[in-house]
């Protein structure tokens, strides 16, 4: 099925993976259909050499993942309006197939309610998809596509009308849970989110805790996520469940200390504007298999 939708791509980089970035850009250039316009954002660092025709932006400081991606969105006009959809890809990823961009165009054109597509992430050597990369509770079968309630930040496509309607990613978050914040706002506005297993980004298997700020940011942003988006009665339930889950995972003493520090910070610092979701959105999330308390 032919599609006239125009696609762009946003990649943020710290400049420390030039070979992986070049491989990713090559995989984008090989996509079927009309060329995908690409913007590479140097997030507080110079952008490595890139092929001719790739636009680059170098930020004087690291704005974090959501801040860097928001700059990339605006490079395509306010809210990304110069294109119909944007792919967001980690700079050490690689599009596995030549038809991914075209499949995204066709999916958005076929389903006017579809706002966001989450790709399947697979290890390039083993082909294994980690459970945490399947954005639903029943994650045992990564090959099953389905409607979902969140998406993977470094392997997705977003219809730019979503940004025009609900805004971009939350700059304040810097790292962790910014995708769920956007997902909840999009769902509250009536958009749907799909996990599509046939759209694959190769990415080396890693642990999120490799980032030094992981435990603090995860806890702080979890509180911010609830304070920004949930109806008041659900906030203590949601955060209580995640507190219990964290303790059951038996993190190290240092990790737990960082987590509680972030949890406290989430309550004592500004989380940005509060726009609680409608109760009908709570019901929609529940019907999709993930009520906003887990």
């Amino acid at each position: 099925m032919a599609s006239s939708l125009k696609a762009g791509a946003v990649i943020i980089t710290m400049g420390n993976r030039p070979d992986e970035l070049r491989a990713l850009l090559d995989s984008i250039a090989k996509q079927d259909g009309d060329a995908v316009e690409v913007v590479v954002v140097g997030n507080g660092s110079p952008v490595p050499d890139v092929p001719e025709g790739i636009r680059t932006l170098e930020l004087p400081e690291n704005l974090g993942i959501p801040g860097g991606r928001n700059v990339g969105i605006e490079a395509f006009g306010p809210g990304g309006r110069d294109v119909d959809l944007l792919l967001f890809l980690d700079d050490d990823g690689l599009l596995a197939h030549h038809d991914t961009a075209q499949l995204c165009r066709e999916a958005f054109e076929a389903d006017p309610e579809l706002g966001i597509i989450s790709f399947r992430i697979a290890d390039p050597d083993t082909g294994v998809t980690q459970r945490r990369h399947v954005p639903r509770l029943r994650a045992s079968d990564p090959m099953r596509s389905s409607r979902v309630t969140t998406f993977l930040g470094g392997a997705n496509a977003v219809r730019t009308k979503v940004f025009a309607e609900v805004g971009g990613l939350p700059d304040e978050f810097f790292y962790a849970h910014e995708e769920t914040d956007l997902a909840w706002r999009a769902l509250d506005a009536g958009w749907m989110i799909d996990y599509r297993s046939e759209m694959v980004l190769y990415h080396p298997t890693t642990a999120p805790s490799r980032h030094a700020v992981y435990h603090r940011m995860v806890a702080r942003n979890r509180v911010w996520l609830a304070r920004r988006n949930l109806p008041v009665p659900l906030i203590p339930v949601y955060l209580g469940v995640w507190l219990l889950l964290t303790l059951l995972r038996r993190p190290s003493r240092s990790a737990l200390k960082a987590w509680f520090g972030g949890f406290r910070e989430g309550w004592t610092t500004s989380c940005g504007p509060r726009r609680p979701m409608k109760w009908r959105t709570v019901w929609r999330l529940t019907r999709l298999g993930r009520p906003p308390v887990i």
Side-chain angles (χ1 to χ4, degrees):
M1 180 173 60
S3 172
S4 60
L5 298 185
K6 187 175 181 181
V10 173
I11 302 164
I12 59 173
T13 182
M14 299 294 291
N16 56 351
R17 294 190 282 236
D19 294 340
E20 293 89 341
L21 174 61
R22 176 60 71 105
L24 171 62
L25 294 174
D26 288 346
S27 74
I28 296 172
K30 293 174 182 175
Q31 291 297 298
D32 299 338
D34 294 338
V36 178
E37 185 179 347
V38 181
V39 169
V40 178
V41 179
N43 211 356
S45 66
V47 175
D49 289 338
V50 297
E52 189 174 344
I54 302 294
R55 282 195 290 163
T56 63
L57 297 169
E58 294 184 353
L59 306 181
E61 62 178 308
N62 183 355
L63 300 182
I65 294 173
R69 287 183 177 143
N70 282 338
V71 169
I73 293 167
E74 295 302 306
F76 290 93
R81 69 184 182 189
D82 294 345
V83 293
D84 300 296
L85 63 111
L86 283 171
L87 281 67
F88 295 87
L89 306 169
D90 278 351
D91 68 342
D92 56 345
L94 180 75
L95 290 173
H97 308 301
H98 292 183
D99 62 353
T100 301
Q102 188 63 17
L103 287 173
C104 288
R105 294 185 187 100
E106 293 171 1
F108 284 127
E109 198 153 63
D111 185 353
E113 293 186 343
L114 182 60
I116 302 172
I117 298 172
S118 189
F119 301 166
R120 179 167 62 89
I121 292 179
D123 184 272
D125 297 321
T126 66
V128 170
T129 296
Q130 295 177 273
R131 286 182 66 92
R132 69 184 182 90
H133 285 152
V134 182
R136 58 173 179 254
L137 290 179
R138 295 182 291 276
S140 59
D141 181 8
M143 301 306 295
R144 179 172 66 87
S145 299
S146 67
R147 293 285 201 199
V148 290
T149 62
T150 188
F151 62 99
L152 306 175
N156 69 80
V158 181
R159 192 192 296 266
T160 53
K161 287 182 179 178
V162 173
F163 298 127
E165 190 166 346
V166 307
L169 295 155
D171 287 337
E172 306 94 330
F173 281 40
F174 197 84
Y175 165 78
H177 302 319
E178 67 273 3
E179 305 92 350
T180 300
D181 186 87
L182 177 61
W184 282 2
R185 286 183 283 127
L187 288 162
D188 197 49
W191 295 101
M192 300 301 292
I193 305 169
D194 275 3
Y195 166 72
R196 296 289 183 97
S197 63
E198 73 275 18
M199 302 179 191
V200 181
L201 184 82
Y202 283 148
H203 189 282
T205 298
T206 56
S209 55
R210 70 190 185 279
H211 299 292
V213 296
Y214 172 76
H215 296 287
R216 171 177 156 256
M217 293 290 193
V218 162
R220 184 196 68 180
N221 292 0
R222 184 79 69 184
V223 177
W224 281 359
L225 181 68
R227 289 176 58 198
R228 286 164 60 96
N229 295 287
L230 291 181
V232 169
L234 294 185
I235 294 175
V237 180
Y238 177 78
L239 295 177
V241 167
W242 279 103
L243 172 59
L244 178 61
L245 286 173
T246 299
L247 295 174
L248 288 174
R249 290 168 179 166
R250 302 178 68 179
S252 67
R253 184 182 295 272
S254 61
L256 196 59
K257 181 179 179 181
W259 193 94
F260 274 110
F263 192 81
R264 181 171 56 253
E265 186 182 349
W267 287 108
T268 58
T269 56
S270 173
C271 63
R274 172 168 164 76
R275 300 186 182 93
M277 66 178 64
K278 308 173 190 71
W279 282 103
R280 69 185 181 194
T281 305
V282 173
W283 176 236
R284 170 187 271 194
L285 287 162
T286 303
R287 286 190 293 113
L288 288 170
R290 189 147 199 167
V293 293
I294 51 176

